[in-house]
Amino acid sequence: MRVVGANGKSVYFFTKDVKDSGKSACTGACATTWPPVTTTSTMPAVDGVSGTIGTIPTADGKMQITINGMPIYFYSKDEDSGDTYGQGVLGIWFLVSPSGSMMTATTSSSPSSY
């Protein structure tokens, strides 16, 4: 099972982010390819996610969702809800499990959403 956004698309962790740092290590061109998952609420609603949900500020003043203190991202090449093309990219991008852990192994197609 993996976490998906409200749009049904898979979300990912970036291993260069530092847990509980309050900021994203993915900026500039990185953020174009890996857009942050943002919200307008300081307490985003989640469904099926048992990890701790929070937010951090983005460079443009939005709120990026975090799970267990780690920012989450979409992958620009994932076009459909079942896509997981970002899994394992460069060995630093990994899908997010509902418990908030990084999925470094092959994943199933059953999503949880927030």
Side-chain angles (χ1 to χ4, degrees):
M1 221 198 258
R2 71 189 189 288
V3 175
V4 298
N7 60 6
K9 293 185 180 180
S10 300
V11 299
Y12 300 87
F13 281 138
F14 182 35
T15 60
K16 293 186 177 184
D17 281 326
V18 176
K19 180 180 168 74
D20 296 322
S21 70
K23 61 183 181 178
S24 168
C26 181
T27 59
C30 175
T32 300
T33 303
W34 299 91
V37 178
T38 60
T39 181
T40 57
S41 171
T42 55
M43 296 298 295
V46 297
D47 180 26
V49 177
S50 60
T52 303
I53 304 300
T55 61
I56 60 171
T58 62
D60 61 2
K62 295 179 181 171
M63 290 183 285
Q64 182 172 5
I65 296 174
T66 61
I67 299 178
N68 291 347
M70 292 286 286
I72 57 174
Y73 306 85
F74 292 118
Y75 183 43
S76 61
K77 294 185 180 178
D78 285 349
E79 295 181 5
D80 296 315
S81 61
D83 290 349
T84 56
Y85 297 121
Q87 175 65 358
V89 168
L90 301 174
I92 56 176
W93 291 95
F94 296 100
L95 290 164
V96 180
S97 78
S99 66
S101 62
M102 201 171 290
M103 299 174 67
T104 56
T106 306
T107 62
S108 77
S109 60
S110 301
S112 285
S113 62
Y114 61 85

